[in-house]
Amino acid sequence: MTRFQDSILRRTLSMGTFEELCSLWRQLVEMGETESLLITQETILAEIPHPQAPLTREQFSLFLSPEFSALLRGTFDTIALCYQVSMSWDGEAIADFIDYLKQHLPPTSVLRDHLASFSGDQPFLVTPLQSFLITQIINILAPDSSADSQEIYTTAMVCKPVEDALRQQIAQERLLNQVIAQIRQSLNLSAILKTAVREVRSFLQVDRLVIYEFGQGTPPNSEYSQPFTSWGCVTYESKVSNSIPSLLNVVAEDGCFSHIPHYQEKYRQGAIVAIEDVEEAYSSSFCLNKFLEKYWIRAKLIAPIVVEENLWGLLIAHQCFNKREWFDSEKNFLGQIGQHLAVAIYQAQLYAQVQEQKKTFEQRVIERTQELRDTLIAAQSANHSKSEFLSNMSHELRTPLTCIIGLSGTLLHWSAQSKSLPLQKQQQYLQTIQDSGKHLLEMINEILEYSKLEAGKYVLSIQQFSLQKAAQNIHKKLRQEAVKRKINLQLELQIEPQENFFFADPERLQQILYHLLNNALKFTPEGGTVILRIWREGNEAIFQVEDTGIGIAQEQIPLLFESFQQLETSRRRTYGGTGLGLALTKQLVELHGGTIEVESILQEGSIFTVRLPNQPQRQLKSSDNLAINQSLSMGNRSIVLIESNEELATLIGELLTAANYQFIWLMDSTTAIKKVELFEPTAVILDQDLTDAYKISEALKASPKTKSIKVLLLSHQISSTEWTDISKRGIDDYLLKPIQPNLLLKRVNALMSSDDNEPDDRI
């Protein structure tokens, strides 16, 4: 009997079990990841011209690969109807079997050449699935229930190294699966990294295993002021003993790694570094050797953690008490752990981003909800205030109208009866009608003034005037009202002669003072005092109105200057008015760039203080604005559009009409010149090709009647060079399509308000 007949595993199997074993064997062969060779009884017999008996008595299957080789043999017992099965991983036994096969193969056989390339000394390295299949095969050939057999006992002793290798691989796979499962089931990165560090250290039987995380800039709590090109610190650690010094939060100096060129790039590309003896490997670096000695590092194995092609950190195993030779299986295993941890880190980063976005979104929703709630409350409050305002106005307007209509009707009645009232009675009625009319006019003017301010149509007329004269005029105007109400109205001028002249809008200033003084007189009882004080502080003029009236509650002061707000809201009102006086006053003060403040105590009185800045620099600008506004309001505001596109003409027409221009649309350009002469507009807008546009513009400029009409051209594209030529052909400005409403109105306003405007803000 030749040596290959001494099997490592041997057992008698039933036909069904043998078929199961053969099925597992076929799966084992199919799972090979590299080039392999499978030899069966059938492949050998196909190569032999005249089959010999030794090769036909049994079934065999020989699997050869660079990583793993095995031989399965089965002989059928025709009497017992079962198989005598053996399986071997022994390299020498496989080599003997290969020699035996070569003896029966012809010299020219291709299979013979393939067999010659396999020596039988292949390393034992299989895939995870192959490990699982081999374990199942061993369980069939050497179950625990047969352990008492001397033959199987001997077999198990021979097979012990193979089983140990298999168990090692299975343990690696189990730990990898544990890490993968935790990554899939948990988003808690800290828990994943802590578990991985602890389990991997235990599996590799190293003294310490750490995760070193890279940072940027200057490390926290560092004594170095200059930013490091790279730095990091240990964020997770597992030690076999507490006596081993901890590396947690330890920052390695950047200079210690300066002698290792591009070491980070090497790790980023996936390199795994194994150092058996750090003293020998880093003998040229005193700094690094000192650091490693301080923390008891004698040998180390390093695998990178690369997240999205960026080096996030390192997974480092330390041997602290002796040198260590690192096996390929250990390197590969640590590298695989690093790859799976990179997945966990990326997953956690995505989750953190999602959570941050969720938090931001929730905060925005809360803010928007609060804004909507505030807007709703403000709208409800404004609606209520307007309703109250309209209700009060109906009363305020009805009172003087009733007087006017009633007394004038009485006078008409007596006149119709050809009777006459006593002269004194007539004068009394007429005076009441006049006073009521004036009061009604004041309220209407107040409402109109406020509406103009709200619409932004108010323009100040800044000019120089005498503060003393303005104060005396307003004092004189309200003195009669004060006497009527039996209130002492005083004027205190604290102005030096050289400070008397001031730049502002004198008419609006008197309006401000009138509202403040009238308000003070209204809310001051008989025998009270109202004082107007005026003085200068540097570039500001201060106007102060103090009264001894009923005062204002502190919680109501913020409502004083709100639109449509009246502190007295009852239907049976003691004090009349629109309630817009102080709101209008505040608008006029702010239009001047000033401020208004209030101090008040209930039943003692109030003080209103207005500060206005001196603004001579606005005098010229204000005058120009007034001239422009007056010319626009008094002059011709008609515009002719020559456009064949109905939709575009409708859009332009709505824009110009909303801007208070008179709009005329002409579709036919052939008869446009005669119609333009008839309408005499201020401007013409052309949406024509250049040839027609030149004809119309040149014809308009050639006629004395239409030469002052401005021409605006609409076009898809005009370069600066083209504009130089176009502007010489009677076209004053152009606008590129598609039309932007704000730019169209800006160009039209410029043409309507200037005799010689150059195009600006080209689009």
Side-chain angles (χ1 to χ4, degrees):
M1 184 182 292
T2 57
R3 181 181 173 189
F4 68 82
Q5 292 172 321
D6 297 329
S7 302
I8 292 178
L9 291 179
R10 184 171 59 242
R11 192 179 179 208
T12 300
L13 300 176
S14 65
M15 295 175 63
T17 306
F18 182 70
E19 286 299 323
E20 181 184 351
L21 180 65
C22 290
S23 175
L24 291 172
W25 180 267
R26 284 191 294 273
Q27 293 180 54
L28 176 65
V29 171
E30 291 170 358
M31 291 299 136
E33 294 184 351
T34 58
E35 183 181 358
S36 58
L37 180 64
L38 175 65
I39 303 172
T40 63
Q41 181 189 42
E42 290 77 13
T43 57
I44 292 292
L45 293 178
E47 295 274 342
I48 301 174
H50 303 288
Q52 301 178 22
L55 293 174
T56 58
R57 289 181 311 191
E58 61 179 351
Q59 294 186 19
F60 62 86
S61 182
L62 176 63
F63 175 60
L64 301 173
S65 71
E67 297 88 5
F68 169 68
S69 298
L71 172 63
L72 176 68
R73 305 183 70 194
T75 303
F76 184 66
D77 187 337
T78 56
I79 299 174
L81 298 178
C82 62
Y83 281 89
Q84 299 293 329
V85 182
S86 64
M87 185 175 181
S88 175
W89 285 278
D90 183 68
E92 293 184 5
I94 293 174
D96 288 345
F97 186 75
I98 291 174
D99 291 339
Y100 175 70
L101 293 178
K102 290 177 182 178
Q103 294 174 11
H104 296 84
L105 289 170
T108 58
S109 171
V110 176
L111 185 58
R112 185 187 184 96
D113 295 336
H114 286 311
L115 286 170
S117 64
F118 288 89
S119 63
D121 298 330
Q122 290 80 9
F124 189 85
L125 181 64
V126 295
T127 66
L129 186 54
Q130 284 178 317
S131 299
F132 176 74
L133 294 172
I134 292 172
T135 303
Q136 289 186 295
I137 291 173
I138 292 175
N139 288 337
I140 292 175
L141 294 175
D144 295 339
S145 58
S146 307
D148 55 346
S149 167
Q150 179 63 34
E151 182 181 41
I152 297 302
Y153 177 77
T154 304
T155 300
M157 293 296 293
V158 176
C159 191
K160 185 72 165 59
V162 176
E163 290 190 76
D164 288 345
L166 285 172
R167 290 193 182 95
Q168 177 78 359
Q169 284 201 348
I170 292 171
Q172 285 187 6
E173 294 301 322
R174 185 180 295 113
L175 183 55
L176 279 172
N177 290 335
Q178 180 183 348
V179 173
I180 294 171
Q182 190 176 19
I183 291 172
R184 290 176 178 174
Q185 296 172 7
S186 173
L187 292 171
N188 188 338
L189 181 61
S190 179
I192 293 172
L193 296 180
K194 284 180 181 178
T195 303
V197 167
R198 183 180 64 252
E199 296 297 330
V200 172
R201 186 207 60 75
S202 176
F203 179 81
L204 291 178
Q205 294 297 300
V206 293
D207 298 325
R208 178 173 53 210
L209 192 129
V210 301
I211 291 178
Y212 183 82
E213 184 178 346
F214 285 102
Q216 296 179 352
T218 303
N221 303 321
S222 173
E223 59 185 19
Y224 301 95
S225 58
Q226 295 298 324
F228 289 13
T229 57
S230 63
W231 69 274
C233 67
V234 174
T235 52
Y236 295 91
E237 177 184 63
S238 176
K239 302 182 296 179
V240 71
S241 170
N242 289 332
S243 63
I244 297 175
S246 175
L247 279 168
L248 276 177
N249 301 319
V250 171
V251 177
E253 297 177 19
D254 184 65
C256 291
F257 300 94
S258 59
H259 73 290
I260 308 176
H262 310 295
Y263 77 96
Q264 283 199 28
E265 180 61 24
K266 176 177 64 176
Y267 286 125
R268 193 188 67 81
Q269 294 178 359
I272 298 174
V273 176
I275 307 296
E276 298 180 5
D277 184 357
V278 297
E279 292 183 2
E280 181 180 345
Y282 303 124
S283 58
S284 60
S285 174
F286 174 77
C287 171
L288 189 54
N289 253 319
K290 184 178 178 182
F291 176 81
L292 297 173
E293 181 182 355
K294 177 181 178 181
Y295 292 101
W296 300 12
I297 303 174
R298 296 294 306 278
K300 62 180 181 177
L301 178 63
I302 308 171
I305 302 175
V306 180
V307 180
E308 287 291 281
E309 299 185 357
N310 295 315
L311 183 61
W312 181 89
L314 302 173
L315 189 61
I316 309 174
H318 289 156
Q319 206 67 33
C320 296
F321 302 101
N322 51 277
K323 305 172 187 177
R324 175 164 173 170
E325 180 183 356
W326 304 99
F327 298 116
D328 289 341
S329 60
E330 294 171 331
K331 299 175 188 176
N332 294 333
F333 174 68
L334 197 65
Q336 287 179 313
I337 292 291
Q339 292 172 7
H340 289 301
L341 291 182
V343 173
I345 293 166
Y346 179 61
Q347 181 176 286
Q349 289 175 347
L350 289 179
Y351 179 71
Q353 291 176 8
V354 170
Q355 290 298 105
E356 184 63 29
Q357 290 174 357
K358 178 184 175 185
K359 183 179 178 181
T360 302
F361 178 74
E362 289 176 347
Q363 184 61 34
R364 287 180 180 175
V365 169
I366 293 172
E367 291 173 357
R368 295 296 182 269
T369 303
Q370 185 61 42
E371 288 176 5
L372 288 173
R373 188 180 292 110
D374 294 343
T375 302
L376 179 60
I377 293 173
Q380 291 173 342
S381 176
N383 187 54
H384 175 75
S385 298
K386 288 182 180 180
S387 299
E388 190 70 31
F389 169 77
L390 292 174
S391 175
N392 292 335
M393 280 301 93
S394 65
H395 172 76
E396 291 294 329
L397 295 174
R398 220 180 262 120
T399 301
L401 281 173
T402 300
C403 291
I404 293 171
I405 294 171
L407 294 178
S408 61
T410 301
L411 290 174
L412 286 172
H413 173 74
W414 281 98
S415 175
Q417 296 292 329
S418 300
K419 298 178 182 180
S420 61
L421 283 170
L423 183 60
Q424 184 179 0
K425 204 72 170 178
Q426 292 181 31
Q427 290 178 342
Q428 182 183 348
Y429 283 6
L430 290 172
Q431 185 64 49
T432 303
I433 291 172
Q434 187 181 39
D435 292 344
S436 297
K438 287 182 178 180
H439 180 55
L440 185 61
L441 181 62
E442 285 179 1
M443 288 192 293
I444 293 173
N445 285 338
E446 199 169 90
I447 295 171
L448 292 175
E449 290 280 336
Y450 184 78
S451 65
K452 286 173 64 178
L453 276 170
E454 284 285 286
K457 297 179 180 179
Y458 227 105
V459 180
L460 294 178
S461 175
I462 303 297
Q463 52 189 283
Q464 191 179 44
F465 64 94
S466 167
L467 290 173
Q468 181 177 354
K469 186 176 180 181
Q472 290 172 345
N473 286 341
I474 199 68
H475 180 267
K476 182 179 179 181
K477 184 176 182 179
L478 288 170
R479 184 169 53 194
Q480 186 177 355
E481 179 70 18
V483 171
K484 180 181 177 181
R485 293 176 178 267
K486 299 179 181 180
I487 296 172
N488 181 23
L489 179 61
Q490 300 178 10
L491 175 61
E492 294 183 5
L493 294 174
Q494 305 170 11
I495 302 174
E496 298 294 332
Q498 65 272 19
E499 297 177 336
N500 184 36
F501 289 97
F502 191 75
F503 281 94
D505 187 331
E507 184 179 348
R508 303 309 171 203
L509 173 61
Q510 293 196 49
Q511 196 173 355
I512 292 169
L513 297 178
Y514 174 81
H515 283 303
L516 292 176
L517 288 170
N518 187 52
N519 196 65
L521 292 172
K522 184 189 299 184
F523 294 100
T524 300
E526 290 185 8
T529 301
V530 174
I531 305 173
L532 170 62
R533 299 187 184 92
I534 302 178
W535 71 91
R536 291 284 298 269
E537 289 183 1
N539 196 46
E540 288 185 332
I542 292 85
F543 306 88
Q544 190 175 82
V545 176
E546 181 179 356
D547 65 65
T548 58
I550 60 175
I552 307 164
Q554 291 299 313
E555 63 273 12
Q556 290 184 317
I557 288 179
L559 301 176
L560 276 175
F561 303 106
E562 293 294 326
S563 308
F564 309 113
Q565 288 286 351
Q566 292 175 296
L567 304 186
E568 184 190 27
T569 58
S570 63
R571 292 297 178 90
R572 298 178 63 184
R573 290 154 49 86
T574 306
Y575 308 99
T578 62
L580 290 175
L582 289 179
L584 179 60
T585 299
K586 184 173 185 290
Q587 294 266 23
L588 290 173
V589 169
E590 291 179 348
L591 198 61
H592 278 84
T595 61
I596 183 169
E597 300 172 354
V598 184
E599 299 176 29
S600 185
I601 301 176
L602 276 176
Q603 308 306 323
E604 292 189 16
S606 305
I607 300 176
F608 286 77
T609 304
V610 172
R611 295 175 177 271
L612 296 183
N614 192 25
Q615 36 199 335
Q617 70 280 0
R618 292 181 57 185
Q619 182 185 21
L620 180 60
K621 184 177 179 181
S622 175
S623 301
D624 292 343
N625 288 339
L626 278 176
I628 291 172
N629 289 344
Q630 288 171 0
S631 65
L632 285 175
S633 60
M634 296 173 61
N636 187 357
R637 291 179 59 84
S638 62
I639 297 175
V640 170
L641 170 66
I642 304 175
E643 171 62 68
S644 59
N645 187 304
E646 183 177 352
E647 292 183 1
L648 184 58
T650 302
L651 170 63
I652 295 175
E654 290 180 354
L655 289 172
L656 295 177
T657 302
N660 295 322
Y661 288 107
Q662 295 175 1
F663 173 70
I664 303 167
W665 174 29
L666 302 178
M667 293 185 65
D668 187 5
S669 61
T670 57
T671 61
I673 296 175
K674 292 182 179 179
K675 292 181 179 180
V676 169
E677 290 177 349
L678 178 64
F679 294 133
E680 296 185 1
T682 304
V684 173
I685 301 176
L686 299 176
D687 186 8
Q688 310 290 321
D689 58 43
L690 284 178
T691 303
D692 291 341
Y694 288 155
K695 289 180 181 178
I696 295 172
S697 61
E698 289 174 347
L700 292 175
K701 299 298 182 182
S703 172
K705 192 175 181 180
T706 59
K707 66 179 181 179
S708 61
I709 296 175
K710 301 296 181 180
V711 179
L712 175 66
L713 175 65
L714 305 181
S715 178
H716 286 286
Q717 184 175 2
I718 294 178
S719 66
S720 57
T721 305
E722 290 173 331
W723 170 244
T724 303
D725 297 332
I726 292 172
S727 62
K728 297 175 182 178
R729 305 289 293 270
I731 296 174
D732 298 284
D733 202 351
Y734 72 88
L735 183 65
L736 296 182
K737 296 191 290 186
I739 300 298
Q740 297 186 37
N742 59 331
L743 285 178
L744 175 64
L745 293 177
K746 182 177 180 181
R747 298 292 167 79
V748 170
N749 289 336
L751 288 175
M752 299 290 278
S753 62
S754 175
D755 291 333
D756 189 19
N757 256 14
E758 289 295 330
D760 56 6
D761 297 331
R762 302 298 180 198
I763 300 299

